[in-house]
Amino acid sequence: EKGYETGEHAPGLKLGGCGAYKAAHHIIKTHAKVWHSYNSTWRSEQQGMVGISLTSAWGEPVDPHSPTDRDAAERYIQFHLGWFANPIYKGDYPEVMKNYVGRKSAQQGLGTSRLPTFSVQEKTYIKGTSDFLGIGHFTTRYVLQKSFPFLQVSSYHTDHDLAELVDPKWPAQGPKWLYSVPWGFRRLLNFIKTQYGNPLIYVTENGVSEKEQCTQLCDDWRIEYLKGYINEILKALNDGVNVRGYTAWSLLDKFEWNKGFSERFGLYHIDFKNKNKPRYPKASVDYYKKIINANGFPNSREVMC
């Protein structure tokens, strides 16, 4: 969406309400081709795995007793995670995506939906092309129904008719979009288990950045974030979710999209002004080392049931 619709990220294209859908369509088909290529050529010899890594927040209904809010939260997940995961695990886009984008396209007077379609052969070719699912997860949103007025030029952002809210009590040490809501991760992982047949999962991204550089490298909020989210993964494991591994985001401060070097997710601070780019461990390094050494929390009393 940011690369092909709003133009915020590279390649910086603003292609209305169809660019993101077309780009995603090609990504999904290309992913399937790579999987089949490996499967037919190298798997027997190498015994490797090919998967895909998808990033998604969790959407929680504002009012869990409201059918419209529950439906809106379902759409939130389907328009984010399901957009890519559904074709790979079920062979086609989520029905709610097809219905909403199709209806909005018809309202615009378009002869076909802005959401591309897969042929019968493509659906068969794409379905099942993942030996594991990589999950990037950072935060959660409360979701409620919001009907956007008729727009001559609809967009991915307005297609799903919902609004996102945050709880002001949620910790937000990083950028304005990243609130620490650990319980949302467990719910997302259980959704994946139920929706896609409990696939093998590797957590490929999970972490928090800082708004301001802490000269003492005292990132206690990152320690609390990691502790909370890893704890929820352990709960998901007890729920029967098939999580095999976890990767914190990220080892080093680095280039972050259109934020450049200003947004720091690293466990290690990098002095970008020094030509040698020296690295300094933040407080979270020592904490994360202990977790790695113990393959979990060293002190079992840290784990909250």
Side-chain angles (χ1 to χ4, degrees):
E1 184 215 3
K2 288 182 170 62
Y4 291 88
E5 188 156 307
T6 67
E8 295 175 58
H9 290 176
L13 301 179
K14 299 179 181 180
L15 301 177
C18 62
Y21 295 132
K22 286 183 178 179
H25 199 68
H26 289 299
I27 288 171
I28 294 165
K29 291 200 293 183
T30 305
H31 162 80
K33 189 166 187 177
V34 170
W35 187 92
H36 281 285
S37 175
Y38 185 85
N39 193 55
S40 61
T41 308
W42 295 290
R43 187 187 300 274
S44 60
E45 178 183 346
Q46 298 179 351
Q47 296 298 307
M49 295 193 298
V50 176
I52 192 167
S53 183
L54 305 175
T55 299
S56 179
W58 172 249
E60 183 76 7
V62 168
D63 180 0
H65 302 293
S66 164
T68 55
D69 284 1
R70 291 201 304 268
D71 288 346
E74 172 77 13
R75 287 199 304 280
Y76 179 90
I77 297 298
Q78 295 295 356
F79 266 82
H80 287 80
L81 179 66
W83 185 6
F84 294 85
N86 221 71
I88 290 170
Y89 284 96
K90 297 187 175 183
D92 199 4
Y93 292 119
E95 286 299 318
V96 70
M97 278 193 80
K98 294 193 290 184
N99 292 339
Y100 269 70
V101 181
R103 177 167 51 82
K104 300 257 180 162
S105 300
Q107 290 173 350
Q108 293 174 254
L110 300 176
T112 58
S113 175
R114 288 179 284 106
L115 181 69
T117 58
F118 295 113
S119 68
V120 174
Q121 292 81 7
E122 286 173 337
K123 291 177 183 179
T124 302
Y125 188 74
I126 293 166
K127 184 178 180 181
T129 56
S130 192
D131 303 316
F132 66 89
L133 178 61
I135 285 293
H137 175 76
F138 294 89
T139 193
T140 285
R141 291 288 185 270
Y142 279 121
V143 180
L144 74 162
Q145 168 76 26
K146 178 183 178 181
S147 297
F148 287 88
F150 171 70
L151 299 170
Q152 195 60 42
V153 181
S154 293
S155 68
Y156 168 79
H157 180 68
T158 59
D159 278 339
H160 31 49
D161 279 350
L162 56 84
E164 302 174 28
L165 302 174
V166 298
D167 187 333
K169 297 178 182 178
W170 290 344
Q173 296 294 339
K176 61 182 180 180
W177 61 270
L178 209 171
Y179 293 79
S180 179
V181 195
W183 53 261
F185 201 6
R186 181 184 184 184
R187 298 188 186 195
L188 177 65
L189 292 169
N190 272 281
F191 174 88
I192 294 168
K193 172 191 172 185
T194 302
Q195 194 83 359
Y196 306 121
N198 202 17
L200 174 63
I201 294 173
Y202 286 94
V203 178
T204 46
E205 293 185 34
N206 175 241
V208 64
S209 64
E210 54 239 51
K211 290 178 181 176
E212 299 177 4
Q213 179 181 334
C214 181
T215 54
Q216 289 78 34
L217 305 176
C218 48
D219 59 344
D220 292 340
W221 71 88
R222 182 173 284 108
I223 291 173
E224 289 303 309
Y225 181 98
L226 293 171
K227 178 180 177 181
Y229 277 77
I230 292 172
N231 192 22
E232 292 299 318
I233 296 172
L234 292 174
K235 293 178 186 178
L237 280 168
N238 288 334
D239 297 335
V241 179
N242 191 14
V243 181
R244 183 72 56 84
Y246 173 87
T247 307
W249 190 264
S250 58
L251 179 65
L252 310 170
D253 290 337
K254 54 179 180 48
F255 194 88
E256 283 287 341
W257 300 95
N258 55 337
K259 301 298 182 183
F261 297 110
S262 65
E263 196 164 308
R264 296 174 177 266
F265 276 86
L267 299 174
Y268 282 85
H269 172 80
I270 307 298
D271 183 358
F272 293 113
K273 295 179 180 179
N274 187 311
K275 70 174 184 177
N276 293 321
K277 307 294 186 292
R279 306 168 184 186
Y280 304 98
K282 302 174 187 178
S284 54
V285 166
D286 185 59
Y287 181 75
Y288 194 52
K289 280 182 178 179
K290 292 176 182 177
I291 290 176
I292 291 172
N293 285 333
N295 195 28
F297 291 113
N299 183 353
S300 60
R301 287 176 294 178
E302 285 190 89
V303 181
M304 304 289 288
C305 298

